[in-house]
Structures are given as C-alpha cells and as structure tokens.
Amino acid sequence: LKFDLDMLQGFPLLEDLDLIHVQQFIGNISSLRAFKGTLKSLQISRCLVRGNFMDLADFPHLKELELHDTAVTGDIRDIGVHDFPALESLCLPDTVHGGSEYKFQQISKVPSFMHTVHLLL
C-alpha cells in the first residue's frame, strides 16, 4: 500500500509534516506547493520522495527543511538571497549537489560556504 504526497492536499492548513521511515510515502515534493502559505516544518526521511528542493524556496513560513535519505535533487548553489526567507535549519540529502553531510543553521551562510568549498576544489 502506497501513499502519494498528493493525498495530503485534503489537509489545507498543514503546518508541520514529519514522514520519517515511512517508506510507503511516494511522490514529488512539488505536491507540497499546496501548503505554501502554511507549512512551517518539513522533515522527510527514508521515503520514496523525489523532486527539487528549490520547489519550496518561496515558502514564506518554512523554518525547518530536512530531507534525509530521499531522492530529492537540486543544487545548493541555486539558493538566492530571497529564497527560503524564514528558514532556520536546512539538511539535504547527498542527491542534492553540495548537500551531502552539511547542516546549516542559517540559510544566509550557504553562499559563502559554497564559495569556500569551490575555492578548495
């Protein structure tokens, strides 16, 4: 039995979503765009969820984004000054370029960190 993220659209006031070790959840992270105005915390771990983490970049209330062991992709170098305006904690899977093993407490630190990493490569 599988559950798709699209099924969550029946909960329009969703603020916090924790899907940890729920391998029956599948779908694309872009399905969560329905919660752009309400979602504050998103933790997905070891679920068959895919998509690009930047699909959530314009969520005005999102404070916590943790996507451990998912198939979510992207590149943290794509994060701009106006992206993730409320984000306080970010943890991305190794399928995101630059996302492996890094946990940021302030989104504003990402550009300077990535610049330093690229100087070292």
Side-chain angles (χ1 to χ4, degrees):
L1 184 60
K2 298 286 183 187
F3 299 97
D4 196 288
L5 289 175
D6 284 329
M7 298 171 72
L8 296 173
Q9 293 185 18
F11 303 97
L13 301 177
L14 188 68
E15 291 184 3
D16 299 306
L17 180 59
D18 295 334
L19 299 173
I20 300 171
H21 298 282
V22 186
Q23 294 179 347
Q24 294 85 357
F25 259 98
I26 62 171
N28 195 303
I29 201 164
S30 65
S31 299
L32 300 177
R33 294 213 43 86
F35 310 109
K36 178 181 173 182
T38 59
L39 197 62
K40 294 179 181 177
S41 174
L42 177 61
Q43 294 184 44
I44 300 177
S45 177
R46 296 190 177 138
C47 296
L48 300 174
V49 175
R50 64 191 183 288
N52 190 312
F53 82 101
M54 289 299 292
D55 287 340
L56 309 176
D58 62 345
F59 280 41
H61 307 292
L62 188 62
K63 292 183 178 183
E64 180 179 23
L65 179 58
E66 298 196 9
L67 301 170
H68 303 282
D69 298 321
T70 63
V72 172
T73 60
D75 189 327
I76 64 172
R77 294 173 295 182
D78 293 338
I79 298 173
V81 175
H82 302 291
D83 293 328
F84 301 104
L87 205 63
E88 296 173 358
S89 177
L90 173 66
C91 189
L92 298 169
D94 58 7
T95 51
V96 171
H97 185 77
S100 180
E101 303 298 323
Y102 305 120
K103 184 166 183 166
F104 298 97
Q105 293 300 318
Q106 294 177 319
I107 197 69
S108 61
K109 295 188 184 274
V110 173
S112 63
F113 173 80
M114 285 309 295
H115 177 72
T116 302
V117 168
H118 287 286
L119 288 175
L120 296 173
L121 294 177

